[in-house]
Amino acid sequence: MTAFILQRLIQSIFVLLAVSIVVFFAVYGIGDPIELLVPPQVSDAERQALIRRLGLDLPVWQQYLTFMGNALRGDLGRSFVHGVSAIELILARLPATVELVLLSMALAIVIGVPLGLYAGLAPDSRTSRVIMAGTVLGFSLPSFWKGMMLILLFSVLLGVLPTAGRGETISLFGIQTSLFTANGLKHLALPALNLAIPNMALLIRVVAAGATEAMAQDYVKYARAKGVRPRRIVGRHVLRNILIPVVTVIGIEFGSLVAFSTITETVFAWPGMGKLLIDSIYQLDRPVVVAYVMLATLLFVTVNLLVDILYAALDPRVKLAGTRA
Amino acid sequence: MSLSPETMTPVRAGVLKRLRNRPTLRGAGILLAILVALALLAPVIAPQNPHDLAALNVMDNRLPPGAASLTGTTYWLGTDAQGRDMLSAILYGLRTSLMVGLSATLGALVIGVAAGLVAAQFGGAIDAAIMRIVDFMLGFPSILVALVLLSAIGRGVDKVVLAIVLVQWAQYARLMRAAAMVERRKEYIEAAVNFGLPTRHIMLTHLLPNAIGSVLVVASVSIAGAITLEATLSFLGVGVPITQPSLGLLIANGFEFLLSGEYWIAVFPGIALVLLIMSLNLVGDRLRRSLNVRS
Amino acid sequence: MSGPTLLEVRGLRTVFHAADGAWAAVDGVDLSVGSGEVLGLVGESGSGKSVTGFSLIQLIDPPGEIVAGSIVFKGEDLRGATAERLRALRGDRIAMIFQDPLMTLNPVLSIGEQMAEAVLEHRAMPRAEALALAARALGRVGISEPETRLRQYPHEFSGGMRQRVAIATALLNEPDLIIADEPTTALDVTIQSQILYEMQKLARDTGTAVIWITHDLAVVAELADRIAVMYAGRVVETGPVDLVLDAPRHPYTSGLLGSSAAMVEPGGRLRQIDGMAPRIDSRPSGCPFRPRCDRALPLCAEIDPPPTPEGPRQYRCHNPVPQAEAAP
């Protein structure tokens, strides 16, 4: 187990390193940041001084080493626009995104698993067909379009939910969250639902396929021959087997949830780190873009590691790769 | 000899219902053909050239669907904030969306197939290097990769195409490599190698045509994905330029008017986009299933 | 050895629906099993013996359907029973052992949980008590350290061990009847004979009746009190096992005996029945065995032979094997 975790940690460090190189060269390597930083009226001497101070006169690889050296100390540069540390800027927006992502994952599970189970257990019923057809829409329609339609329906036509922004927040262990106020939840409902839809569709598909497959297995027939009640067959024999792909999906999709929250946050003007990324791209605030990508990558690899460990705990047949002699 | 059909029981009725053919997807095919024709013929059939600012009348701005213009023509789908006829804007937008989606898919296909073919043919370190890059690319959400790239190179039709190519080539490379590896193990390739045919000849005349089929089928499904990605990037304001709006950008432009009830500026381009994506998806999926290719 | 009638099956017919009709896998089967009796249900693959086994506890899923017949178990017709009544009987009064021990245990649930549920779904008792019962049952089928074994998962068991688990599970509620569907075919020969021996002993000790479904006549000869030979979805010959195997009347039984290696004298030639068992969707008219039968008469093509009683046995043949030349 320890060996497995160690092995995955080393892998993760390599991924982070690779991302840092690619992003650094993609974002800083193209175009001249000095042009963005320095107003045209500044004298040539001052310009040269700034270039030296920022280390932009050094060869690119040396600039990268400086960047990495700072990164290891938790410094991913200073926002061109806000003049504060890029990390601090993003971390300030992190709670809003995390609560959005967590609530949408919860919605996807709470709605997706029962619907998928229903569709998988009665695949020929009319309701199941409607559910499965709905998943096609859930997958393929662009996220921003679904968000707009949610606004049109719930805000403009029904007038029951707010269109944009984050509601009231309260401080919980020093973190501002809107999960525990009525007004906050009202604001959170539509963005969370919108972000949840693709994963809900995916979970429905995975659970339905898993349930149909499990129900056809000999162990289900055997459980019936033992006189096990249908409720227990579904709730224990089938669900326990579906849990494994479900956890995998949740793990894999967590990363894309964070990434896709940029779209949902833009549509619903949600003040999270995704909205910050889009704003920073508009304002050519490169340090923030780079810091966002580095933090997002760190988040992906951490979650993937946790999922792998959970996966091994759920399936007795899985021996973690690192534990092999 | 078959046994005589049994009387109709509920179980039998259920079985027969399941065996009955699902409705065909001919409708989706026809819809797709119409959409493509509309996009191709946009300059001929559009009532107005939406890119020609001189043709627009600002006095006609934000008119509802069916309203008459000052000159007497009818705006069947209303007008936007600049007084642009939405029907014309949608026809041209459809053109841009399709063009970006198709050229990006084509570009990604060419690069991916070449990379997959090289990886399969040469193996060893070259294969390992290419597949590492592929794994790395596929490990990140496509929207994020495209966003970061466009933040570095700026917006433009060519740049959006480049971004989509960058995020999509890897999946084709993986598929092509797998298909080519299967093909390489077949006898006729071994015979060609033993016969001393040059590597390039084997790759291009034997491996490529025999392995590319499944990749092409998957690509047909991916066109919808490319169009969705373009629409999303344009909606976020990092995609196509304002002078050549795609459906995604038209929707973005109409978004602010959605809340004030001027729904048509965003909703009609949205419906066009949804129809385009759904028909592409259904046709592509049908193709994939009838040819029995797993993606 | 056999007590009063436990199970009486009459005219059982189980069909599988398809687009162009329905195919009878079980086509009018009659069976009876007495208390404590071991019945060997024999046939080639596709003869309908497994479907018969599943039909008895009505574990037939679409596109399969039981369309006719009666299944009277301890005076109660199971075909009229509610789903809940059937559930309550399954695993409690009628237990079943499946063919493939690798597929029948749920891979992600512990052995203990899968054994305990077979008790807990029928009787309210503390979980610990059910696990203690399970441990005792494992001990009875010769599994050492049962308490440790209960905490393990199926992949930690070999095929033979898993089948012992299935047998132990079947014994948990001391059922009246165990239906064993080729429980040893997936196992190698030494384990097979061990399990046979254990089964026989357990059935004797507990007074449980057993329907042993198999294609192996040697197994039946060793284990069973009575035999029912199935061909093309029906019982073509049934009777006391010694009588039927020593002097078969139906040409098919005789042919099976000829092709069964264990029945052949040392140095004797192994005889094959020519042809293949008919697919259930392409049965010939008249007697279904006619195309493969060397004793067929013109009559056999026209009229399906009805069951003919003869002493304690019964067969379906127009031109039975004469008593004298029966044994090959």
Side-chain angles (χ1 to χ4, degrees):
Chain A
M1 188 74 174
T2 324
F4 168 75
I5 293 173
L6 207 67
Q7 187 186 322
R8 289 300 312 268
L9 274 178
I10 293 167
Q11 264 178 27
S12 306
I13 288 167
F14 272 107
V15 169
L16 277 168
L17 211 61
V19 170
S20 72
I21 292 171
V22 170
V23 171
F24 184 85
F25 287 98
V27 176
Y28 286 104
I30 304 165
D32 183 3
I34 281 297
E35 272 174 40
L36 306 159
L37 284 170
V38 186
Q41 64 268 26
V42 169
S43 76
D44 218 40
E46 279 179 81
R47 179 183 290 260
Q48 290 307 320
L50 187 66
I51 288 177
R52 262 194 305 283
R53 191 154 60 78
L54 291 174
L56 293 174
D57 55 338
L58 299 171
V60 182
W61 61 269
Q62 229 167 342
Q63 288 186 38
Y64 171 73
L65 287 184
T66 313
F67 164 78
M68 273 313 286
N70 291 336
L72 287 177
R73 288 195 299 272
D75 175 12
L76 286 171
R78 199 159 275 275
S79 161
F80 291 163
V81 176
H82 302 273
V84 298
S85 148
I87 288 226
E88 276 172 31
L89 202 58
I90 293 170
L91 288 182
R93 304 287 201 96
L94 185 67
T97 294
V98 167
E99 70 183 16
L100 180 62
V101 165
L102 288 182
L103 185 64
S104 86
M105 196 49 108
L107 274 178
I109 296 168
V110 167
I111 302 175
V113 172
L115 286 184
L117 210 49
Y118 180 88
L121 294 177
D124 295 316
S125 77
R126 188 178 296 270
T127 318
S128 298
R129 288 185 187 208
V130 171
I131 291 172
M132 295 312 268
T135 64
V136 177
L137 293 178
F139 275 136
S140 49
L141 296 189
S143 176
F144 70 88
W145 173 252
K146 282 177 288 199
M148 286 172 62
M149 289 302 103
L150 285 177
I151 290 177
L152 191 61
L153 179 63
F154 287 99
S155 305
V156 180
L157 296 179
L158 298 175
V160 288
L161 289 169
T163 58
R166 198 173 180 211
E168 249 174 71
T169 60
I170 53 166
S171 182
L172 195 75
F173 308 117
I175 296 167
Q176 291 294 317
T177 174
S178 59
L179 278 173
F180 302 102
T181 66
N183 178 273
L185 282 176
K186 262 188 149 178
H187 280 83
L188 199 47
L190 285 187
L193 180 63
N194 189 51
L195 191 55
I197 288 174
N199 283 313
M200 209 183 283
L202 186 58
L203 277 177
I204 289 174
R205 293 246 149 194
V206 167
V207 169
T212 307
E213 197 199 318
M215 285 304 285
Q217 295 294 314
D218 268 2
Y219 60 74
V220 164
K221 202 168 192 183
Y222 180 57
R224 288 165 67 199
K226 286 193 294 187
V228 178
R229 288 181 176 83
R231 180 184 291 270
R232 188 180 153 81
I233 288 179
V234 172
R236 192 76 186 138
H237 287 263
V238 172
L239 212 53
R240 188 66 176 70
N241 272 282
I242 295 175
L243 217 52
I244 294 160
V246 165
V247 167
T248 314
V249 165
I250 292 170
I252 291 171
E253 290 304 306
F254 192 85
S256 66
L257 267 186
V258 173
F260 274 93
S261 72
T262 55
I263 303 165
T264 295
E265 288 179 10
T266 304
V267 174
F268 292 92
W270 185 261
M273 49 192 265
K275 183 84 168 63
L276 177 69
L277 174 69
I278 299 290
D279 292 344
S280 302
I281 289 173
Y282 287 147
Q283 296 160 340
L284 301 169
D285 198 349
R286 292 180 175 180
V288 179
V289 174
V290 172
Y292 175 91
V293 174
M294 293 305 295
L295 282 178
T297 309
L298 188 65
L299 205 61
F300 295 169
V301 294
T302 312
V303 169
N304 280 347
L305 186 63
L306 289 177
V307 168
D308 278 343
I309 294 170
L310 186 60
Y311 187 81
L314 276 176
D315 190 342
R317 289 164 296 183
V318 171
K319 289 265 185 286
L320 293 176
T323 57
R324 273 183 307 204
Chain B
M1 183 203 83
S2 72
L3 299 169
S4 61
E6 304 288 319
T7 45
M8 194 57 87
T9 64
V11 175
R12 176 159 180 77
V15 171
L16 291 182
K17 194 177 148 201
R18 192 178 320 170
L19 287 169
R20 233 177 283 136
N21 280 335
R22 300 268 163 100
T24 64
L25 295 174
R26 191 181 294 164
I30 293 171
L31 179 62
L32 182 60
I34 292 173
L35 288 172
V36 171
L38 287 177
L40 285 176
L41 297 174
V44 184
I45 54 174
Q48 190 186 70
N49 180 355
H51 302 328
D52 181 7
L53 291 175
L56 307 183
N57 192 332
V58 186
M59 298 299 285
D60 282 346
N61 80 85
R62 293 191 270 160
L63 291 176
S69 74
L70 292 175
T71 56
T73 55
T74 308
Y75 295 123
W76 293 109
L77 298 181
T79 62
D80 70 3
Q82 279 87 46
R84 183 179 286 126
D85 174 40
M86 284 312 297
L87 176 61
S88 306
I90 289 170
L91 290 173
Y92 276 82
L94 198 62
R95 204 173 153 84
T96 306
S97 289
L98 259 175
M99 194 188 73
V100 171
L102 287 175
S103 44
T105 304
L106 196 67
L109 202 56
V110 169
I111 296 176
V113 163
L117 202 57
V118 167
Q121 173 67 40
F122 296 105
I126 296 174
D127 181 27
I130 291 176
M131 292 324 285
R132 265 297 136 81
I133 297 172
V134 165
D135 288 341
F136 183 77
M137 292 301 302
L138 292 177
F140 286 89
S142 54
I143 183 76
L144 197 61
V145 176
L147 266 177
V148 171
L149 179 74
L150 287 171
S151 78
I153 62 176
R155 57 201 288 187
V157 170
D158 50 343
K159 288 163 180 164
V160 175
V161 170
L162 182 69
I164 300 174
V165 168
L166 184 77
V167 297
Q168 288 205 331
W169 72 273
Q171 55 163 334
Y172 300 128
R174 180 175 282 181
L175 278 170
M176 186 63 198
R177 175 178 174 271
M181 296 284 257
V182 170
E183 207 61 35
R184 261 180 68 82
R185 284 187 213 108
K186 292 188 179 165
E187 268 177 33
Y188 75 97
I189 298 274
E190 276 177 22
V193 173
N194 293 339
F195 198 65
L197 288 177
T199 307
R200 219 184 66 179
H201 176 86
I202 294 172
M203 278 170 71
L204 294 182
T205 60
H206 295 296
L207 274 185
L208 182 65
N210 286 301
I212 204 169
S214 58
V215 184
L216 286 178
V217 173
V218 172
S220 74
V221 185
S222 295
I223 296 173
I227 288 174
T228 308
L229 188 54
E230 180 280 320
T232 304
L233 292 168
S234 296
F235 176 82
L236 292 175
V238 296
V240 296
I242 197 83
T243 50
Q244 201 179 347
S246 67
L247 293 173
L249 191 54
L250 290 176
I251 297 167
N253 291 339
F255 184 32
E256 57 179 304
F257 303 108
L258 191 67
L259 302 180
S260 53
E262 285 143 343
Y263 66 90
W264 59 89
I265 308 178
V267 168
F268 288 139
I271 291 173
L273 179 64
V274 167
L275 290 178
L276 180 62
I277 291 171
M278 292 306 293
S279 60
L280 275 169
N281 254 329
L282 289 171
V283 170
D285 193 53
R286 177 71 165 193
L287 198 63
R288 185 173 59 82
R289 245 186 281 177
S290 61
L291 297 174
N292 203 14
V293 178
R294 287 182 150 261
S295 58
Chain C
M1 183 165 210
S2 58
T5 302
L6 182 70
L7 178 77
E8 184 82 38
V9 178
R10 285 285 162 261
L12 181 67
R13 187 167 160 83
T14 303
V15 303
F16 285 83
H17 297 286
D20 49 348
W23 320 101
V26 176
D27 199 3
V29 158
D30 301 333
L31 285 177
S32 75
V33 184
S35 291
E37 184 179 63
V38 178
L39 172 73
L41 191 58
V42 186
E44 293 167 293
S45 55
S47 61
K49 58 190 190 302
S50 281
V51 180
T52 303
F54 283 107
S55 298
L56 296 183
I57 53 170
Q58 305 200 22
L59 218 53
I60 296 289
D61 294 318
E65 186 186 11
I66 302 170
V67 290
S70 63
I71 303 161
V72 179
F73 177 73
K74 298 213 293 189
E76 175 186 3
D77 190 352
L78 300 187
R79 280 207 65 218
T82 62
E84 172 55 23
R85 175 67 187 142
L86 283 170
R87 183 204 68 75
L89 283 172
R90 288 181 198 138
D92 186 38
R93 295 299 90 216
I94 307 176
M96 188 146 180
I97 302 169
F98 284 34
Q99 180 168 0
D100 189 351
L102 299 178
M103 305 296 290
T104 49
L105 291 171
N106 192 328
V108 296
L109 299 181
S110 72
I111 297 295
E113 172 166 4
Q114 296 189 63
M115 288 187 74
E117 73 177 359
V119 181
L120 293 173
E121 291 288 293
H122 297 291
R123 274 175 284 161
M125 66 167 72
R127 204 181 139 77
E129 206 174 306
L131 284 170
L133 275 177
R136 196 153 1 116
L138 282 185
R140 264 164 83 183
V141 296
I143 290 181
S144 56
E145 292 182 65
E147 282 84 6
T148 317
R149 289 306 217 160
L150 285 178
R151 283 192 297 274
Q152 292 182 330
Y153 288 86
H155 72 276
E156 296 168 85
F157 283 62
S158 68
M161 291 298 253
R162 287 190 221 190
Q163 201 58 296
R164 280 169 208 244
V165 169
I167 293 167
T169 308
L171 295 168
L172 276 173
N173 294 316
E174 296 179 353
D176 300 311
L177 175 65
I178 294 177
I179 300 168
D181 182 15
E182 306 212 39
T184 56
T185 31
L187 308 176
D188 67 55
V189 181
T190 40
I191 297 168
Q192 192 174 338
S193 56
Q194 254 176 14
I195 285 183
L196 274 184
Y197 170 75
E198 280 160 17
M199 257 325 267
Q200 196 172 26
K201 185 166 160 291
L202 291 165
R204 251 186 222 132
D205 293 351
T206 55
T208 299
V210 177
I211 297 179
W212 192 280
I213 299 170
T214 182
H215 62 269
D216 191 342
L217 280 178
V219 169
V220 173
E222 195 179 318
L223 188 74
D225 304 313
R226 283 195 315 118
I227 184 172
V229 180
M230 279 192 75
Y231 187 81
R234 61 192 59 192
V235 175
V236 291
E237 183 161 9
T238 181
V241 72
D242 298 338
L243 185 63
V244 171
L245 291 187
D246 286 348
R249 294 287 274 152
H250 198 282
Y252 177 65
T253 316
S254 165
L256 263 188
L257 275 168
S259 66
S260 179
M263 296 285 136
V264 178
E265 300 284 317
R269 274 190 54 210
L270 198 67
R271 225 181 81 200
Q272 291 274 324
I273 310 179
D274 293 330
M276 298 263 291
R279 279 166 46 93
I280 54 173
D281 56 354
S282 60
R283 296 224 174 109
S285 62
C287 173
F289 186 59
R290 173 182 50 84
R292 299 169 75 191
C293 183
D294 50 11
R295 300 180 58 81
L297 307 171
L299 174 69
C300 299
E302 284 158 32
I303 298 167
D304 193 10
T308 313
E310 183 190 86
R313 79 161 116 197
Q314 203 174 56
Y315 54 84
R316 295 179 76 157
C317 184
H318 292 305
N319 186 18
V321 181
Q323 297 275 18
E325 63 164 87

